[in-house]
Amino acid sequence: MSESKNSILPTLKQSLLIPAALLLCQAASFSQSPEKPSGLISRQNYSERLYIITDRDVYITGEQVFLKIYCLNRLTHRPSFLSRVAYVSLLDSQKNPVVQVKLPIPQSTGSGQLLLPDTIRTGNYYISACTHWMKNFSPDLFSYKRISVINP
């Protein structure tokens, strides 16, 4: 009887060890909770917001518009380091670009200028700014600032 008992113990250990190992492998494959988004999902839902500050609100044609841009996370309002370039456009009343520039925003902020051409008419214009990431979404999410231009 002791001989059969000795042969049953290794078989019993193997039969218990294999299902236990399979259960542990399954538990490791579900280590992330379903509520937490993976890196790809959170990157797809990531949202930036740009803030445009100009030196004035009224300009004369031929002048420079000095501007500063801040790039923030739309949800936390903290600096966003995802984008490194802001695309800035001066739009007329029909939303046609008159002047376009790219501004570097290496540390979530950047500054630059727009030269107002002598050929534009007197009126209100919008400075529009977006990042390459923001171009994937609606232009309603771009940042806008209204300025007035006088052509004497």
Side-chain angles (χ1 to χ4, degrees):
M1 181 79 177
S2 69
E3 210 175 291
S4 68
K5 200 176 197 182
N6 288 339
S7 65
I8 293 176
L9 281 176
T11 309
L12 184 62
K13 286 181 183 177
Q14 285 178 348
S15 63
L16 290 176
L17 185 61
I18 292 172
L22 288 174
L23 286 173
L24 288 175
C25 289
Q26 280 184 330
S29 67
F30 295 107
S31 63
Q32 291 181 341
S33 66
E35 298 88 33
K36 292 181 182 177
S38 68
L40 180 62
I41 293 172
S42 63
R43 188 172 167 94
Q44 288 175 345
N45 294 332
Y46 188 81
S47 186
E48 294 177 320
R49 175 149 175 87
L50 296 178
Y51 291 94
I52 306 168
I53 299 173
T54 58
D55 58 332
R56 299 186 309 229
D57 291 332
V58 180
Y59 297 90
I60 297 175
T61 56
E63 288 185 324
Q64 297 268 355
V65 177
F66 293 97
L67 38 96
K68 182 134 181 129
I69 295 182
Y70 294 95
C71 183
L72 302 178
N73 181 315
R74 188 179 291 273
L75 300 175
T76 63
H77 301 289
R78 293 187 180 186
S80 169
F81 300 102
L82 180 65
S83 297
R84 304 236 184 255
V85 175
Y87 299 90
V88 180
S89 301
L90 180 68
L91 305 175
D92 62 10
S93 59
Q94 284 82 32
K95 297 183 182 176
N96 297 319
V98 178
V99 178
Q100 294 179 320
V101 295
K102 290 192 304 187
L103 295 179
I105 49 172
Q107 297 296 320
S108 78
T109 184
S111 57
Q113 64 261 357
L114 289 170
L115 177 63
L116 296 174
D118 293 336
T119 58
I120 63 175
R121 297 180 180 197
T122 299
N124 293 322
Y125 291 82
Y126 284 93
I127 297 174
S128 167
C130 68
T131 63
H132 188 66
W133 178 260
M134 293 169 74
K135 288 182 180 182
N136 295 319
F137 305 103
S138 170
D140 295 337
L141 297 177
F142 294 3
S143 296
Y144 298 95
K145 176 158 172 77
R146 191 179 82 163
I147 63 168
S148 299
V149 178
I150 300 169
N151 188 344

